Amino acid sequence: MIGSAVTVSLVEEARGGPFVFWDGLADACQRASMLGFDAIEIFAPSPDAVDREELAGLLEQHGLQVAAVGTGAGMVKHGLSLTDANEQRRRQAIDFIDRIIDFGAQFQAPAIIGSMQGRWGGSVSRETALNWLGEALELLGQHAAARGVRLIYEPLNRYETNLINDIPTAADFVSNLSTDNVRILADLFHMNIEEADLAEAIHAGGELIGHVHFVDSNRRATGLGHMEYAPIVAALKEINYDGYLSAEAFPLPDSMTAAEMTIDMFKQYFER
Ligand code: LER
Ligand code: MN
């Protein structure tokens, strides 16, 4: 069954970024639950930033799951990436993500590799960067498998990475890995920039799609841009998608309205 989720950022340095809630886990859980979401997606500053017991208590109290955990703080706070020219920095990026995987796994949540994939350029060729990315996804995918969770790889639009920008290319890349534990994140905002046809891209991803960032064309909440949701939802149903649709959107005009717009759109298509 497809679940609904909403993002919460605990990373001050990411202010202005596309996350719905910003005022801590207790606030996010209370609002998410009141609106009827199934889960929260957490963007944490470090692997040990969240108290395990406290989060477990909030989830229990509000009847929520953790849909996924982001790893982008490694980039935002420490400038780390999996394709850094410096081997020691690449190693640090893998260590940081390993520890975020461990944090998420305590809540059965997969970690997302988005901005941590980095980009090629300077002394690093595209081929070299893709090789490093592939090697890192192998290691991280195995690490996640050992903890009983998937690893999620997110292709980003051309302004955020020059490595892989679309779902069909990501599907090709991921299916050539020897680990079978990596899934693709279909972020509708990035796809709206890069894909010729969003529904076709979802079909190309097929069973490899493991998470969706549910957002409008302008990265505002669903319903506040010009995205056509009917063919996207039809494609997700056709591939038997059973993960989360997670609101990774700007808190505009405010967090609560963005969350409400998302859950309204979700209910319109997935009334149970
Ligand atoms: C970044 O643009 C993004 O979409 C995030 O989900 C990944 O860091
Ligand atoms: Mn995203």
Side-chain angles (χ1 to χ4, degrees), residues 18-19 41 43 70-72 112-117 154-157 160 185 187 189-190 213 219 248:
F19 303 97
E41 177 177 324
F43 190 61
T71 64
I112 298 169
I113 313 286
S115 56
M116 286 291 277
Q117 69 195 274
E154 179 175 22
L156 306 174
N157 75 68
E160 296 185 38
L185 199 167
D187 180 322
F189 164 73
H190 298 304
H213 279 156
R219 220 169 205 185
E248 187 186 66

Side-chain angles (χ1 to χ4, degrees), residues 113-240:
I113 313 286
S115 56
M116 286 291 277
Q117 69 195 274
R119 46 172 64 235
W120 67 271
S123 62
V124 180
S125 70
R126 179 161 203 271
E127 190 190 0
T128 300
L130 285 172
N131 278 337
W132 285 340
L133 177 62
E135 284 166 16
L137 292 182
E138 298 282 7
L139 290 172
L140 295 164
Q142 286 162 20
H143 182 94
R147 280 150 187 77
V149 284
R150 302 272 196 212
L151 181 72
I152 308 284
Y153 168 69
E154 179 175 22
L156 306 174
N157 75 68
R158 66 191 70 185
Y159 307 107
E160 296 185 38
T161 186
N162 52 13
L163 290 172
I164 296 178
N165 303 120
D166 60 80
I167 302 280
T169 310
D172 224 39
F173 191 73
V174 163
S175 55
N176 280 321
L177 297 173
S178 48
T179 171
D180 65 356
N181 196 41
V182 181
R183 294 290 178 276
I184 295 167
L185 199 167
D187 180 322
L188 302 183
F189 164 73
H190 298 304
M191 291 173 70
N192 175 62
I193 295 171
E194 299 295 344
E195 309 290 352
D197 182 308
L198 277 73
E200 269 177 31
I202 288 167
H203 277 287
E207 61 189 16
L208 285 175
I209 294 184
H211 196 65
V212 172
H213 279 156
F214 190 50
V215 60
D216 218 310
S217 51
N218 49 8
R219 220 169 205 185
R220 294 190 179 207
T222 55
L224 296 176
H226 58 75
M227 191 82 75
E228 260 192 80
Y229 288 97
I232 293 169
V233 170
L236 288 169
K237 289 179 176 171
E238 281 153 16
I239 64 164
N240 294 317

Side-chain angles (χ1 to χ4, degrees), residues 21-32 58:
F21 292 127
W22 287 89
D23 296 322
L25 287 171
D27 170 84
C29 286
Q30 196 261 328
R31 290 173 195 268
L58 287 168

Side-chain angles (χ1 to χ4, degrees), residues 33-61:
S33 155
M34 188 177 76
L35 292 170
F37 282 96
D38 300 309
I40 55 168
E41 177 177 324
I42 303 172
F43 190 61
S46 68
D48 48 12
V50 173
D51 182 86
R52 187 186 187 285
E53 298 302 316
E54 185 192 336
L55 177 56
L58 287 168
L59 296 171
E60 162 103 39
Q61 180 190 346

